């Protein structure tokens, strides 16, 4: 076999392959054997039909077609290996010559991973938010905990903000009660904003047995988006009572003996959360700078597939689970179709570039992923998916997604290398040391930046 490679552009090549006919012998034999099992000829046992009879009865062309189809994948793989290119997706193959007994020639055009030069990232500088936890932050955190331990007691007075009311609802559109517009015994906290627009004003001031009617635009259901006349009847009013903020509350709501200890723990937890957010912000901003420094061409076909994958996943999975159409989603977002298309393409470009660049750094730095790192990443992914580690691991193995997870961890390690070399300062001018930050967190940041590119490219690359 002879092969040559021609670079069409930085992300696409054409392979030209010529194969002497004797190298197709195995595929020809396999073709005759396969046809033998599929056809019957009077006077011959199944599977024992001579080749000359198959040629006479069914045509030599059918045999050649079957043989070429059998040989092409192997020949293409050999040509790819010989050319030392990294193909992405399926090739476009064109048979240019087929002379029986002499020669098979074909071309294969395919997208490839571009050659990327890792830029000098030692001079990257970014600014992140300072870690500041105020007394107000602590008080708010404790107040939220306090509200979780609130109790409700029935009262005989008009309902006010913060009260919990039990209500019956009936919604009409054009004078007709909606089939899904009736609900009874609904518990609602006035001021929470968790139900219909206008309901807070309608129930405020009503006692048990009171009734009011108001107009509201429906946010879901069979008449979503339409104005409905809603009748609300209050059947019970209860006041929420918060526990006293004292040592007794601290003992009831936590493992601490005093309120001061509880507040100190709340402050520490808030600091840890802000520190995590700060590290994530640093990783994202360092990655942005890193991408700006690199020249990374993006294969057109890969980009097209990635955009389509993102749109499909949003429309048929994420929005589908929420009962939303793409049109309704864009309406809620206040975006036009053109703006959505542009944003999706921009995100896809960033995702592909992130993978290419970090994968190249993984290769350059010879970064490996050990079993412990892979297991830790799997555990985190399982937790975020709502599955048990065993269930998630089984799904990953069955779906052939282990290489995808390994890639995520490796890219996280690559990003951690860049972050460690960067200068990070907070808004107060203090240098932020991220050398001890979790590489797993960097893996999540890299995964977020690449978005769904993992899914499309991972399935395309051969």
């Amino acid at each position: 076999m002879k092969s040559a490679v021609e670079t069409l552009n930085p992300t696409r090549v054409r392979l030209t392959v010529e194969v002497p006919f004797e190298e197709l012998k195995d595929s020809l034999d396999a073709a005759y054997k396969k046809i033998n099992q599929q056809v019957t000829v009077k006077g011959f046992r199944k599977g024992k039909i001579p080749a000359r009879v198959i040629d006479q009865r069914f045509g030599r062309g059918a045999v050649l077609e079957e043989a070429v189809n059998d040989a092409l994948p192997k020949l293409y793989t050999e040509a790819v290996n010989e050319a030392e290119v990294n193909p992405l997706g399926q090739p476009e193959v064109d048979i240019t010559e087929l002379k029986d007994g002499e020669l098979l020639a074909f071309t294969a055009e395919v997208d490839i991973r571009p050659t990327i030069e890792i830029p000098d990232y030692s001079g990257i500088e970014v600014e992140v938010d300072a870690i500041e936890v105020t007394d107000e932050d602590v008080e708010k955190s404790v107040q939220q905990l306090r509200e979780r331990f609130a109790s409700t007691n029935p009262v005989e007075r008009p309902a006010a903000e913060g009260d919990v009311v039990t209500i019956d609802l009936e919604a009409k559109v054009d004078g007709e009660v909606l089939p899904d517009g009736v609900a009874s015994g609904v518990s609602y906290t006035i001021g929470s904003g968790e139900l219909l627009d206008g309901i807070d004003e309608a129930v405020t001031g009503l006692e048990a047995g009171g009734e009011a009617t108001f107009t509201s635009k429906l946010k879901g259901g069979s008449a979503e988006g339409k104005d409905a006349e809603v009748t609300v009847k209050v059947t019970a009013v209860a006041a929420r009572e918060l526990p006293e903020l004292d040592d007794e509350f601290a003992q009831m709501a936590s493992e601490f003996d005093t309120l001061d200890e509880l507040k100190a723990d709340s402050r520490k937890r808030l600091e840890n959360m802000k520190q995590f957010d700060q590290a994530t912000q640093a990783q994202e901003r360092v990655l942005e700078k890193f991408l700006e420094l690199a020249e990374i061409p993006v294969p057109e076909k890969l980009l097209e597939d990635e955009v389509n994958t993102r749109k499909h996943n949003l429309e048929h999975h994420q929005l589908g689970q929420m009962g939303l159409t793409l049109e309704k989603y864009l309406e809620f977002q206040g975006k036009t179709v053109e703006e959505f298309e542009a944003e999706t393409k921009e995100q896809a470009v960033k995702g592909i570039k992130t993978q290419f660049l970090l994968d190249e750094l993984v290769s350059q730095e010879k970064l490996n992923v050990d079993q412990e790192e892979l297991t830790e990443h799997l555990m985190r992914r399982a937790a975020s998916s709502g599955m048990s580690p065993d269930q998630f691991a089984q799904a990953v193995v069955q779906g052939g997604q282990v290489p995808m997870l390994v890639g995520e961890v490796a890219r996280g390690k690559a990003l951690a290398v860049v972050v460690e070399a960067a200068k990070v300062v907070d808004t107060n001018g203090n240098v932020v040391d991220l050398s001890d930050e979790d590489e797993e967190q960097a893996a999540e940041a890299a995964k977020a930046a690449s978005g769904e590119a993992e899914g499309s490219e991972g399935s395309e690359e051969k």
Side-chain angles (χ1 to χ4, degrees):
M1 183 185 85
K2 292 195 306 182
S3 68
V5 59
E6 175 188 359
T7 300
L8 302 178
N9 61 50
T11 63
R12 194 167 179 83
V13 297
R14 178 189 293 124
L15 299 168
T16 303
V17 183
E18 294 184 356
V19 186
F21 220 75
E22 56 266 23
E23 293 185 23
L24 298 177
K25 182 180 184 307
D26 289 345
S27 293
L28 280 167
D29 291 343
Y32 280 115
K33 185 175 181 180
K34 183 175 181 180
I35 294 174
N36 241 307
Q37 299 300 322
Q38 294 175 337
V39 302
T40 56
V41 175
K42 189 174 181 180
F44 295 96
R45 284 183 296 161
K46 197 176 183 70
K48 299 295 184 181
I49 308 170
R52 60 179 175 77
V53 175
I54 290 177
D55 288 346
Q56 291 169 358
R57 296 292 294 269
F58 305 102
R60 175 70 168 175
V63 178
L64 291 177
E65 182 180 355
E66 184 65 43
V68 169
N69 288 339
D70 176 76
L72 274 179
K74 293 175 283 188
L75 296 171
Y76 167 71
T77 300
E78 287 180 33
V80 163
N81 293 336
E82 194 173 293
E84 297 182 343
V85 294
N86 296 309
L88 300 170
Q90 299 299 322
E92 294 179 8
V93 177
D94 181 26
I95 306 295
T96 55
E97 191 172 0
L98 178 57
K99 291 184 178 179
D100 193 1
E102 295 183 31
L103 179 73
L104 165 66
F106 68 91
T107 61
E109 287 191 20
V110 67
D111 285 333
I112 60 168
R113 275 183 176 262
T115 300
I116 300 172
E117 184 151 346
I118 299 295
D120 179 11
Y121 50 81
S122 61
I124 291 178
E125 295 185 16
V126 298
E127 184 181 70
V128 295
D129 295 335
I131 297 175
E132 295 176 347
V133 178
T134 65
D135 291 342
E136 289 76 15
D137 293 332
V138 175
E139 293 300 329
K140 182 179 178 182
S141 175
V142 173
Q143 181 65 18
Q144 290 172 343
L145 180 63
R146 186 186 181 199
E147 289 177 357
R148 284 170 48 194
F149 286 85
S151 58
T152 56
N153 295 304
V155 292
E156 295 183 5
R157 60 164 173 76
E161 184 171 353
D163 286 345
V164 179
V165 291
T166 304
I167 54 177
D168 297 336
L169 294 165
E170 181 183 82
K172 294 180 180 179
V173 172
D174 298 330
E176 296 290 330
V177 178
L178 297 172
D180 53 355
V182 178
S184 300
V186 177
S187 180
Y188 176 67
T189 301
I190 300 176
S192 66
E194 294 174 351
L195 277 179
L196 300 166
D197 292 338
I199 195 168
D200 289 334
E201 295 81 359
V203 298
T204 299
L206 295 182
E207 298 186 38
E211 190 175 294
T213 300
F214 63 101
T215 301
S216 182
K217 186 181 290 289
L218 298 178
K219 298 178 181 178
S222 60
E224 179 183 0
K226 294 185 177 180
D227 288 333
E229 183 183 82
V230 182
T231 300
V232 56
K233 181 178 180 181
V234 176
T235 60
V237 180
R240 296 177 75 245
E241 294 186 5
L242 300 174
E244 290 293 327
L245 276 179
D246 52 23
D247 293 345
E248 186 176 338
F249 167 72
Q251 294 164 17
M252 173 183 66
S254 70
E255 70 271 29
F256 301 105
D257 294 327
T258 68
L259 183 60
D260 287 342
E261 289 175 334
L262 174 59
K263 288 184 176 181
D265 179 70
S266 295
R267 184 179 294 276
K268 183 64 177 176
R269 283 189 297 104
L270 289 171
E271 287 174 350
N272 289 339
M273 288 170 57
K274 286 181 178 286
Q275 188 173 25
F276 183 91
D277 292 343
Q278 185 189 64
T280 299
Q281 190 180 62
Q283 290 157 353
E284 292 171 349
R285 292 183 178 179
V286 168
L287 178 58
E288 290 279 355
K289 295 275 190 179
F290 191 31
L291 288 170
E292 289 173 8
L293 292 173
E295 290 289 335
I296 311 171
V298 175
E300 289 183 13
K301 182 65 167 62
L302 180 63
L303 176 58
E304 179 185 338
D305 291 344
E306 177 63 18
V307 168
N308 290 335
T309 296
R310 287 173 182 257
K311 289 164 64 176
H312 177 85
N313 288 345
L314 173 66
E315 191 167 2
H316 297 283
H317 296 296
Q318 294 163 260
L319 298 182
Q321 291 175 356
M322 296 186 287
L324 287 176
T325 62
L326 180 60
E327 291 74 18
K328 186 61 65 175
Y329 168 76
L330 294 180
E331 183 182 323
F332 288 154
Q333 294 287 315
K335 295 178 184 176
T336 64
V337 173
E338 291 74 20
E339 289 171 335
F340 168 71
E341 296 275 358
E343 282 184 14
T344 304
K345 183 176 180 179
E346 182 181 348
Q347 292 163 357
V349 168
K350 181 181 178 182
I352 293 170
K353 286 186 174 184
T354 295
Q355 284 202 22
F356 282 174
L357 185 57
L358 293 182
D359 283 347
E360 184 63 30
L361 187 57
V362 167
S363 176
Q364 179 176 297
E365 295 292 330
K366 297 180 171 57
L367 301 175
N368 297 313
V369 177
D370 60 35
Q371 187 61 47
E372 184 179 347
E373 291 168 332
L374 182 59
T375 299
E376 183 181 352
H377 186 62
L378 187 148
M379 299 276 282
R380 290 205 188 188
R381 287 290 303 274
S384 64
S385 70
M387 301 169 67
S388 72
D390 287 344
Q391 288 174 324
F392 187 78
Q394 186 176 7
V396 166
V397 172
Q398 290 178 346
Q401 298 297 300
V402 173
M404 180 192 76
L405 289 188
V406 172
E408 289 176 1
V409 178
R411 283 188 280 275
K413 297 180 75 168
L415 179 56
V417 169
V418 181
V419 172
E420 188 172 349
K423 181 179 180 181
V424 182
V425 297
D426 65 20
T427 49
N428 292 331
N430 301 313
V431 175
V432 179
D433 182 11
L434 296 172
S435 59
D436 294 329
E437 286 305 315
D438 191 355
E439 288 179 349
E440 177 63 26
Q441 188 179 350
E444 292 299 322
K447 180 175 179 294
S450 58
E452 294 168 17
E454 185 70 59
S456 60
E457 187 202 334
S459 63
E460 292 276 346
E461 188 168 354
K462 305 294 179 187

